[in-house]
């Protein structure tokens, strides 16, 4: 299986990592010459498929499948046009993406489907979350505690060229689940919990059988599959919700291969979502049953003797990363570490039979980095919100 990955940023790194685990050969395409996913792939090509379409078509013709690892609507639409009638499958559903990439369209769809979502402003009190309609993750997000904060959040989003969505901010853990559609049915995967840095960017993902109670996990998966059914999902979708005292409230949808959560699911369960996307597209047989381990997937930046947890946007500044097993005692690290380097970044991946054993392992890894790299200061800052 030869897979073309279009996009060399965080999603591209995720796709390259998962493809390697699935035994696929990869070529990553990006218009930048320093895309971090290049060094995790078997081959790479510096190419803008929109500007050099003929060259891109020839490249895709030599691949068994193409997966986008970006959120550029112009590029995604052009790729869909290129591959719609070609012999090379496109692991993407443009129609579902258009719905889920707009928080207005997705909220309207979920309301009609009876999916619980946060109340809109001004039907609720403060604090509220002000988010851009067409962005995922923490991009452009503001937590507002009064009308002035709301106005500032709106101004920031308007400067991004997007439309603001203002919703109730309830206390609770952030949980995520993926679902695949196509072939006459839907299949959901293990639930993960997400943790954030001060900029509301995801810094850590935990996958464990105890993230939600069995009853809530079944409810969450039913929600995801109901949403998938309502948009006629033909590929992969990520669903993010808040586990509030008033029940699960769906916050965000994204109909593409996300970064971070699939690798955490793979480490805990042995189930490779990218492999399952290919399996679904080509009509392969049923996968092996998942194992029930716990895993953590988290980002760190080390800068001249100081170490801190960081979100995905900071980790995306990694240069020429590689995957190393056993480094500092971790199961695996995706990192640009080298001896004596002043600034480096890593994604640490660990798994264990239960959460207690997992926490002991990750703490030992952090302590080992602190000791062996002469770290004088370690910080794990929470998000700037209640």
């Amino acid at each position: 299986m030869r897979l073309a990955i279009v996009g060399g940023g965080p999603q591209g790194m995720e796709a390259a990592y998962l493809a390697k685990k699935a035994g696929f050969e990869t070529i990553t395409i990006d218009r930048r010459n320093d895309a971090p996913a290049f060094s995790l792939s078997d081959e790479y090509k510096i190419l803008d498929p929109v500007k050099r379409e003929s060259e891109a078509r020839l490249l895709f013709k030599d691949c068994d499948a193409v997966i986008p690892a970006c959120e550029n609507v112009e590029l995604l639409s052009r790729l869909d046009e290129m591959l719609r009638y070609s012999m090379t499958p496109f692991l993407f559903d443009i129609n579902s993406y258009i719905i889920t990439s707009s928080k207005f369209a997705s909220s309207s769809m979920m309301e009609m489907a009876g999916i619980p979502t946060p109340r809109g402003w001004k039907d609720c009190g403060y604090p509220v979350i002000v988010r851009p309609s067409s962005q995922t993750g923490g991009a452009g997000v503001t937590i507002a505690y009064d009308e002035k904060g709301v106005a500032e959040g709106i101004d920031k989003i308007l400067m991004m060229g997007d439309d603001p969505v203002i919703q109730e901010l309830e206390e609770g853990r952030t949980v995520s689940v993926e679902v695949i559609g196509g072939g006459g049915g839907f299949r959901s995967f293990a639930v993960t919990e997400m943790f954030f840095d001060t900029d509301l960017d995801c810094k850590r993902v935990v996958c464990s059988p105890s993230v939600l109670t069995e009853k809530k996990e079944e409810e969450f998966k039913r929600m995801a599959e109901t949403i998938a059914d309502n948009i006629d999902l033909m590929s992969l979708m990520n669903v993010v919700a808040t586990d509030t005292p008033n029940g699960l409230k769906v916050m965000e949808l994204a109909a593409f291969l996300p970064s971070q959560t699939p690798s955490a699911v793979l480490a805990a369960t042995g189930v490779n979502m990218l492999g399952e996307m290919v399996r679904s597209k080509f009509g392969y047989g049923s996968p092996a049953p998942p194992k029930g381990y716990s895993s953590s997937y988290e980002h760190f930046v080390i800068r001249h003797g100081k170490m801190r947890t960081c979100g995905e946007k900071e980790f995306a500044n990694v240069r020429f990363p590689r995957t190393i097993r056993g480094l500092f005692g971790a199961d695996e690290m995706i990192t640009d570490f080298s001896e004596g380097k002043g600034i480096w970044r890593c994604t640490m991946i660990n798994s264990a039979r239960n959460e207690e054993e997992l926490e002991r392992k990750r703490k030992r890894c952090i302590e080992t980095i602190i000791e062996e790299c002469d770290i004088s200061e370690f910080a794990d800052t929470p998000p700037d919100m209640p």
Side-chain angles (χ1 to χ4, degrees), residues 96 99-101 103 106-107 109-110 113 115-118 131 136-137 173-181 186-194 196 202 205-206 211-212 216-231 233 235-243 248-259 261-262 265 273:
S96 295
I99 296 171
T100 62
S101 63
K103 291 181 176 62
S106 58
S107 294
M109 176 273 298
M110 287 191 286
I115 302 297
T117 59
R131 301 183 295 159
T136 58
R173 299 179 302 159
T174 302
V175 293
S176 173
V177 70
E178 282 76 26
V179 59
I180 282 181
F186 305 103
R187 180 188 172 204
S188 50
F189 296 90
V191 174
T192 55
E193 182 176 2
M194 304 166 70
F196 302 88
C202 184
V205 176
V206 170
V211 167
L212 291 175
K216 274 195 174 180
E217 181 171 335
E218 289 176 0
E219 178 189 358
F220 191 23
K221 290 182 176 182
R222 279 198 304 271
M223 287 180 184
E225 292 175 15
T226 298
I227 293 167
D229 190 25
N230 272 267
I231 63 174
L233 180 70
S235 188
L236 183 76
M237 177 177 65
N238 171 250
V239 180
V240 178
T242 305
D243 181 20
L248 291 162
K249 303 285 184 73
V250 174
M251 294 286 295
E252 188 169 276
L253 308 176
F256 52 75
L257 178 74
S259 53
T261 51
V265 170
M273 286 185 211

Side-chain angles (χ1 to χ4, degrees), residues 107-136:
S107 294
S108 177
M109 176 273 298
M110 287 191 286
E111 183 179 357
M112 288 189 292
I115 302 297
T117 59
R119 289 182 295 170
W121 193 61
K122 306 173 178 178
D123 294 331
C124 64
Y126 293 103
V128 294
I129 184 167
V130 187
R131 301 183 295 159
S133 174
S134 303
Q135 303 288 326
T136 58

Side-chain angles (χ1 to χ4, degrees), residues 304-361:
H304 303 304
K306 296 181 179 181
M307 176 179 178
R308 66 175 177 87
T309 56
C310 69
E312 181 183 56
K313 293 182 184 66
E314 171 64 41
F315 177 73
N317 293 313
V318 67
R319 289 293 173 261
F320 309 109
R322 60 205 188 281
T323 302
I324 306 175
R325 292 192 63 83
L327 183 64
F328 302 116
D331 290 350
E332 277 191 315
M333 280 193 178
I334 303 170
T335 183
D336 56 358
F337 165 80
S338 63
E339 291 288 346
K341 192 172 184 179
I343 301 174
W344 54 279
R345 296 165 178 83
C346 69
T347 296
M348 186 168 72
I349 307 169
N350 285 307
S351 66
R353 288 171 294 183
N354 53 60
E355 287 193 15
E356 293 75 18
E357 185 179 325
L358 174 67
E359 187 62 18
R360 287 195 295 271
K361 179 186 279 191

Side-chain angles (χ1 to χ4, degrees), residues 33-321:
N33 61 10
D34 61 349
F38 283 169
S39 58
L40 297 174
S41 306
D42 296 297
E43 300 177 47
Y44 67 88
K45 181 74 173 179
I46 302 169
L47 173 69
D48 185 337
V50 173
K51 294 182 178 178
R52 295 159 61 186
E53 184 174 322
S54 298
E55 193 173 346
R57 285 180 181 272
L58 287 173
L59 190 152
F60 296 150
K61 191 175 180 181
D62 289 334
C63 295
D64 296 298
V66 177
I67 185 166
C70 61
E71 298 178 53
N72 183 301
V73 177
E74 181 187 7
L75 175 56
L76 291 168
S77 298
R78 186 65 63 86
L79 290 171
D80 183 66
E81 292 170 5
M82 284 187 214
L83 296 162
R84 186 174 299 171
Y85 302 109
S86 77
M87 299 296 291
T88 307
F90 190 34
L91 304 179
F92 185 69
D93 179 355
I94 187 70
N95 295 321
S96 295
Y97 177 80
I98 289 169
I99 296 171
T100 62
S101 63
S102 165
K103 291 181 176 62
F104 292 114
S106 58
S107 294
S108 177
M109 176 273 298
M110 287 191 286
E111 183 179 357
M112 288 189 292
I115 302 297
T117 59
R119 289 182 295 170
W121 193 61
K122 306 173 178 178
D123 294 331
C124 64
Y126 293 103
V128 294
I129 184 167
V130 187
R131 301 183 295 159
S133 174
S134 303
Q135 303 288 326
T136 58
V141 174
T142 299
I143 306 300
Y145 301 91
D146 50 35
E147 286 197 24
K148 180 183 177 183
V150 170
E152 290 172 350
I154 290 173
D155 287 345
K156 181 167 71 172
I157 291 166
L158 293 176
M159 289 179 66
M160 296 170 63
D162 210 330
D163 297 313
V165 175
I166 309 170
Q167 292 177 312
E168 173 184 30
L169 179 68
E170 291 194 82
E171 292 185 16
R173 299 179 302 159
T174 302
V175 293
S176 173
V177 70
E178 282 76 26
V179 59
I180 282 181
F186 305 103
R187 180 188 172 204
S188 50
F189 296 90
V191 174
T192 55
E193 182 176 2
M194 304 166 70
F195 299 83
F196 302 88
D197 68 2
T198 53
D199 297 321
L200 302 179
D201 192 16
C202 184
K203 64 181 180 182
R204 183 183 178 207
V205 176
V206 170
C207 182
S208 171
S210 59
V211 167
L212 291 175
T213 64
E214 185 175 343
K215 182 179 178 180
K216 274 195 174 180
E217 181 171 335
E218 289 176 0
E219 178 189 358
F220 191 23
K221 290 182 176 182
R222 279 198 304 271
M223 287 180 184
E225 292 175 15
T226 298
I227 293 167
D229 190 25
N230 272 267
I231 63 174
D232 195 22
L233 180 70
M234 298 300 293
S235 188
L236 183 76
M237 177 177 65
N238 171 250
V239 180
V240 178
T242 305
D243 181 20
T244 78
N246 300 313
L248 291 162
K249 303 285 184 73
V250 174
M251 294 286 295
E252 188 169 276
L253 308 176
F256 52 75
L257 178 74
S259 53
Q260 306 180 93
T261 51
S263 289
V265 170
L266 174 61
T269 69
V271 176
N272 189 321
M273 286 185 211
L274 181 55
E276 295 308 308
M277 291 176 74
V278 172
R279 184 188 296 275
S280 175
K281 198 72 174 180
F282 287 90
Y284 293 168
S286 298
K291 63 182 182 181
Y293 274 40
S294 296
S295 71
S296 66
Y297 174 104
E298 53 193 316
H299 306 300
F300 299 92
V301 58
I302 290 81
R303 191 175 272 112
H304 303 304
K306 296 181 179 181
M307 176 179 178
R308 66 175 177 87
T309 56
C310 69
E312 181 183 56
K313 293 182 184 66
E314 171 64 41
F315 177 73
N317 293 313
V318 67
R319 289 293 173 261
F320 309 109

